[in-house]
Amino acid sequence: MTNSSEQASPEAIQRLKEEAAESAAALIEDGMIVGLGSGSTAKLVVAAIGRRVKSGLNIVGIPTSEKTAAQARELNIPLATLAQHPQIHLALDGADEVELSTLNLIKGGGGNLLREKLVAIASQRFVAVVDERKLVDKLGATFSLPVEVVPFGWQSTEQRLKKLGANSQLRMGANGEPYITDGGHYILDCAFGPIASPATLAANLDTTVGVVEHGLFIGMTSAVVVGRPDGIKLLNPPVPA
Ligand code: A5P
């Protein structure tokens, strides 16, 4: 798949995101428990869901961030918690990178990866919604991997991440203080360059003390809705050999 949006205007990109969001929201059926993602594309998905709810769609949304919860409330989308609905029918969320050959993802650019992953893993179907600029041959090629860490002794956790090859940076908030996630943690944005084996890196991060969660979503994607100038494309994961 060639990427024709690299030089596209912000308005053109916004249109692709809106079309992808509309088409993703159309996957929702009446009565579903729906995971509501976070980020600028997910915001458009939630807006499209709000329009469907206004016209009579009956769903319960599980938000992945306080920001998404606030937007959903404004749109009168009924909400519940993951504790109330540990099984979700469908989750719709954005992504920072989508590896074309596997549909593995990097997520967490907006800082919500922990709740996003908890919702994605609890979902029967997890559908990523992106414009075509997010499609990459290798994860890590264009985006630093967000890694959520415990604030206590984060510098010591960072040393362990450096041993895994990370060129890391503590994410800062607009107030000049470290950015704090909804879960009360810090984020280290870790540049790895193109990641040869995302599954191996994910397994190493899973066992790194001090790491709460990371933005590699491996084997979790059921489909990707891609907004392209020539229309929407639905990508399905490869069939296991
Ligand atoms: C939020 O933490 C992220 O995982 C977003 O889903 C991801 O960063 C994509 O965001 P945009 O849709 O804003 O690019």
Side-chain angles (χ1 to χ4, degrees), residues 17 38-42 93-96 107-113 116 129 134 143:
K17 286 161 79 164
S38 299
S40 62
T41 313
D93 203 346
D96 298 301
K107 284 185 53 53
N112 308 112
L113 65 100
E116 289 173 343
V129 189
K134 305 290 185 71
F143 204 82

Side-chain angles (χ1 to χ4, degrees), residues 35-38 62-69 73 81-82 88 91 93 107-108 111-123 126 148 181-185 212-214 217 220:
L36 306 175
S38 299
I62 313 290
T64 54
S65 64
E66 299 301 332
K67 215 169 172 178
T68 297
R73 267 186 229 107
T81 63
L82 190 55
I88 295 171
D93 203 346
K107 284 185 53 53
N112 308 112
L113 65 100
L114 176 58
R115 292 188 189 182
E116 289 173 343
K117 197 178 274 191
L118 285 164
V119 165
I121 201 126
S123 301
F126 170 62
E148 187 157 344
T181 67
D182 282 345
H185 307 120
V212 179
E213 197 44 87
H214 55 81
F217 283 48
M220 297 172 78

Side-chain angles (χ1 to χ4, degrees), residues 39-51:
S40 62
T41 313
K43 188 175 179 191
L44 296 170
V45 176
V46 174
I49 295 173
R51 289 193 286 278

Side-chain angles (χ1 to χ4, degrees), residues 18-30 32 34 44-53 57 59 90 92 125 127 129 225 232 234:
E18 280 167 5
E19 284 163 16
E22 200 69 44
S23 157
L27 298 172
I28 299 172
E29 291 167 19
D30 212 50
M32 278 184 166
V34 181
L44 296 170
V45 176
V46 174
I49 295 173
R51 289 193 286 278
R52 289 198 61 197
V53 166
L57 179 74
I59 61 148
L90 171 67
L92 302 172
R125 257 173 88 68
V127 176
V129 189
V225 177
I232 296 297
L234 190 72

